[in-house]
Amino acid sequence: MTTPTARNFIDGQWVDPGNTIDDTDPGNGEVIGRLARSGAAEVDAAVQAARRAASGWADLAASARARVLREAADHLEASTDDWGRLMTREMGKPLTEARVESARAAAILRFFAGEAHRPFGQQYASDQAQTWLFTRRSPVGVIGIITPWNFPAAIPTWKLAPALIFGNTAVLKLADDAALTGLRLIEALDKAGIPPGVINVVIGRGTEVGAAMVEHDGVDAISFTGSTETGRGILEKASRSAKRVQLEMGGHNPVIVRSDAALDSAVAAVALGAFASAGQKCTATRRVYVARDLYDSFTEKLVVKASGMNVGYGLDESTEMGPLVNEVQLTGVLEALERAEKQGKLHCGGKRLTEGEYAKGCYMGPAVFTDLPHDSEFACEEIFGPNVAVWPVDDDEEAIERANATSYDLSAAIFTRDLDSAKKFIEQVKAGIVHVNSQTAGAEVHVPFGGLSGSGYGPHEQGRAAIEFYTQTKTIYLDPA
Ligand code: UN1
């Protein structure tokens, strides 16, 4: 079997790469593929192709664009298991999660195909009786899309699908750690007959490919998901040429557990929120504020749950938590947790697993901390791994104040049976997404998704909200001659 290579897709052609690097399975260190190395020249070719394709694609009936999305969804649905396996091998998430994600990507395509037949634009009454006054939505042009490795099927899909249905063309940079997975989406769109140049993919380092996209005059807008630091750098560069920018960045998501909570479901939801995908989600649960009378029992149950988790290779069906995505990420997380250990109490996990099969991959145990200062690095900064900390709180006011104390505002959850407390939490918590009695992660396709302040910038993604970023508004005064 030949090793698959993540190649560039430019102007409808798969381009044979010059330089490549290894694509490694973080679960066992095996080289599973090659990744093209590209730079500004490939980005330029991709942008030129996207510009040439722009008017033809925008001029199609929306239903013709929808047909391409739907047919791509058909192709992907025929192979969600296979797609999930590739995802697991490339970036480590357990197959059970990877399958859900590949099915979700197909569902995203179907939702956005449906946008072709939903109303958009608005009609107004003009002050002049004879005037028809309304707005029209038109494509923005060429969208530069930069996606991360943690949802390598879903995130490229939820950016590309709205870009395409609203008539834009795109240049996509897929993250190295999961580029082969992301390319399945492009293969499906190619098979579905998307015209040349409408989507283009360039594989390479963020500092070269991403930077070239952000600086290219032929790119009209940038949609990015990744770290807060990288996102802010993109915003700074992109604003020099007044590009439209949408940033989905880090999170440091809090959970409040009140005295009246259903304790076991709160524990289960915190474990799921903190450790699914080995905590590598911007929506992962990191901080838990528990009513003092439940604090000991909650912590004990969470530690039992975390220490009992089956950490292993993602393709084993019994695995509950897989490896981290690569050595660099693992080392960064372990070092941050070592610093945390000096400031608080580590109850379980948090260390590299090296025995037996673990020695070949990027494995660590899920970590639960307590007794960390509220101003510690752990309490304030996102550490992108399977780690969560618990603190006792005395009342709702303190819980909400602590929940709101970081510079990230993505997702937040409360566990309670008390309606008034839930309502107060919904009103007062700083977050783009609020959960009552469910985990902090998750994003249904048909509703807006996005954070505030350090977590997000620009219009939200998904659902009908996507139209805000991927279209521009024209106001039309139509008068009789
Ligand atoms: C989810 O919680 O299912 O990068 C989605 C991330 C987010 C997506 C989370 N943008 O983790």
Side-chain angles (χ1 to χ4, degrees), residues 98-123:
R99 281 194 192 111
V100 170
E101 188 185 333
S102 47
R104 171 175 172 183
I108 292 168
L109 286 168
R110 293 201 188 284
F111 173 82
F112 283 106
E115 283 296 71
H117 288 150
R118 291 183 197 114
F120 60 93
Q122 274 171 325
Q123 199 177 344

Side-chain angles (χ1 to χ4, degrees), residues 381-405:
E381 297 300 325
E382 177 182 52
I383 300 168
F384 212 61
N387 35 257
V388 66
V390 189
W391 288 270
V393 285
D394 289 313
D395 51 39
D396 286 353
E397 283 65 36
E398 186 193 352
I400 292 178
E401 191 187 316
R402 301 248 181 251
N404 284 344

Side-chain angles (χ1 to χ4, degrees), residues 71-377:
E71 204 178 310
D74 293 343
H75 292 305
L76 292 171
E77 272 165 0
S79 61
T80 47
D81 186 69
D82 187 52
W83 197 16
R85 282 173 192 278
L86 174 64
M87 191 185 317
T88 296
R89 294 208 67 196
E90 232 187 346
M91 54 69 69
K93 81 169 59 171
L95 184 54
T96 41
E97 290 175 45
R99 281 194 192 111
V100 170
E101 188 185 333
S102 47
R104 171 175 172 183
I108 292 168
L109 286 168
R110 293 201 188 284
F111 173 82
F112 283 106
E115 283 296 71
H117 288 150
R118 291 183 197 114
F120 60 93
Q122 274 171 325
Q123 199 177 344
Y124 300 80
S126 167
D127 293 343
Q128 312 307 318
Q130 78 286 357
T131 304
W132 285 3
L133 182 51
F134 55 96
T135 58
R136 226 181 150 254
R137 297 268 183 175
S138 53
V140 175
V142 174
I143 315 287
I145 296 175
I146 301 174
T147 58
W149 44 263
N150 64 338
F151 286 91
I155 294 180
T157 312
W158 84 45
K159 292 184 190 295
L160 209 44
L164 295 176
I165 196 67
F166 296 125
N168 303 281
T169 59
V171 176
L172 170 65
K173 180 202 164 288
L174 294 165
D176 274 348
D177 284 295
L180 286 170
T181 306
L183 285 179
R184 288 283 173 97
L185 167 67
I186 307 307
E187 286 160 16
L189 287 160
D190 186 24
K191 269 200 238 167
I194 196 149
V198 172
I199 42 167
N200 305 274
V201 184
V202 185
I203 310 286
R205 292 170 62 85
T207 46
E208 287 165 35
V209 172
M213 277 165 63
V214 172
E215 275 163 15
H216 202 295
D217 285 340
V219 173
D220 300 296
I222 296 281
S223 178
F224 163 85
T225 297
S227 73
T228 300
E229 196 189 343
T230 308
R232 291 203 163 135
I234 287 176
L235 179 61
E236 206 184 307
K237 286 208 188 86
S239 50
R240 275 183 226 145
S241 49
K243 284 185 177 52
R244 185 180 280 226
V245 177
Q246 176 183 56
L247 305 172
E248 239 358 285
M249 304 184 283
H252 203 337
N253 313 295
V255 165
I256 293 175
V257 181
R258 291 188 84 248
S259 296
D260 63 356
L263 183 59
D264 289 338
S265 21
V267 171
V270 166
L272 190 63
F275 307 133
S277 292
Q280 300 168 115
K281 298 183 185 183
C282 60
T283 46
T285 304
R286 309 271 183 218
R287 299 176 289 134
V288 190
Y289 301 103
V290 183
R292 202 169 284 277
D293 57 339
L294 279 188
Y295 173 73
D296 287 336
S297 49
F298 177 91
T299 307
E300 196 186 314
K301 279 171 185 271
L302 183 63
V303 171
V304 167
K305 185 117 193 152
S307 3
M309 275 182 87
N310 190 1
V311 178
Y313 189 51
L315 288 182
D316 294 340
E317 298 275 353
S318 62
T319 290
E320 292 172 297
M321 195 180 96
L324 270 66
V325 69
N326 61 39
E327 282 292 333
V328 175
Q329 285 291 132
L330 176 64
T331 308
V333 168
L334 292 173
E335 285 172 3
L337 298 189
E338 229 167 82
R339 293 191 293 274
E341 216 183 328
K342 295 200 180 96
Q343 293 188 286
K345 183 167 174 202
L346 173 63
H347 292 259
C348 60
K351 304 287 175 204
R352 187 166 194 150
L353 302 173
T354 52
E355 274 172 30
E357 293 292 300
Y358 288 138
K360 296 190 217 154
C362 303
Y363 296 96
M364 64 176 282
V368 178
F369 282 89
T370 59
D371 300 283
L372 282 164
H374 289 292
D375 62 354
S376 59
E377 176 193 8

